[in-house]
Amino acid sequence: MQKTKYTEFIDSLVKTINPFISDSWGKRSILLLSLLFGFYFTNSLISFLLDKPVNTIFLAITIVLIMELSIRSSLISRFSLIIMSINNFRIGSTYALILEAFKLGS
């Protein structure tokens, strides 16, 4: 068969998606749980602290700073399961923070 741009696109798409599909179910479930736990933890923390007289801007900056430092401080060059789960926790946390900001209109 001829090599067209469409077949090259499909081949590159399969090469990109294949590592995510070929992982074990245990690894995928741990990564999904860490993503959801990051969302839940930050959402409940923000909801709890909004009732307190705390400056929410500094709270949001502090949460984002802690999440970024946690993933940047790792000196491991390859992605291990722990680093990937910390990264997924960070992504879920950032998503909850942005969603809360949209709900509050700020």
Side-chain angles (χ1 to χ4, degrees):
M1 194 155 87
Q2 261 185 339
K3 271 298 215 197
T4 61
K5 290 187 184 258
Y6 180 72
T7 57
E8 289 176 4
F9 172 71
I10 295 297
D11 290 341
S12 67
L13 190 65
V14 166
K15 286 179 185 176
T16 304
I17 294 176
N18 194 26
F20 298 113
I21 297 172
S22 65
D23 283 341
S24 67
W25 65 269
K27 183 177 179 181
R28 283 185 282 170
S29 64
I30 287 173
L31 294 178
L32 181 65
L33 282 174
S34 65
L35 180 77
L36 293 174
F37 183 69
F39 176 78
Y40 175 75
F41 177 75
T42 305
N43 199 10
S44 62
L45 181 69
I46 293 292
S47 298
F48 173 72
L49 291 176
L50 281 177
D51 294 337
K52 307 290 182 203
V54 177
N55 194 347
T56 56
I57 294 172
F58 291 120
L59 178 68
I61 290 171
T62 304
I63 290 174
V64 169
L65 188 65
I66 288 171
M67 288 296 137
E68 287 297 323
L69 287 176
S70 69
I71 198 67
R72 303 275 189 248
S73 66
S74 64
L75 298 175
I76 301 172
S77 62
R78 64 183 202 116
F79 287 109
S80 65
L81 184 61
I82 296 170
I83 299 300
M84 289 174 63
S85 62
I86 290 172
N87 191 28
N88 279 0
F89 184 86
R90 179 184 64 93
I91 291 169
S93 176
T94 306
Y95 179 70
L97 196 63
I98 291 171
L99 187 65
E100 193 70 31
F102 277 124
K103 285 193 295 188
L104 294 175
S106 57

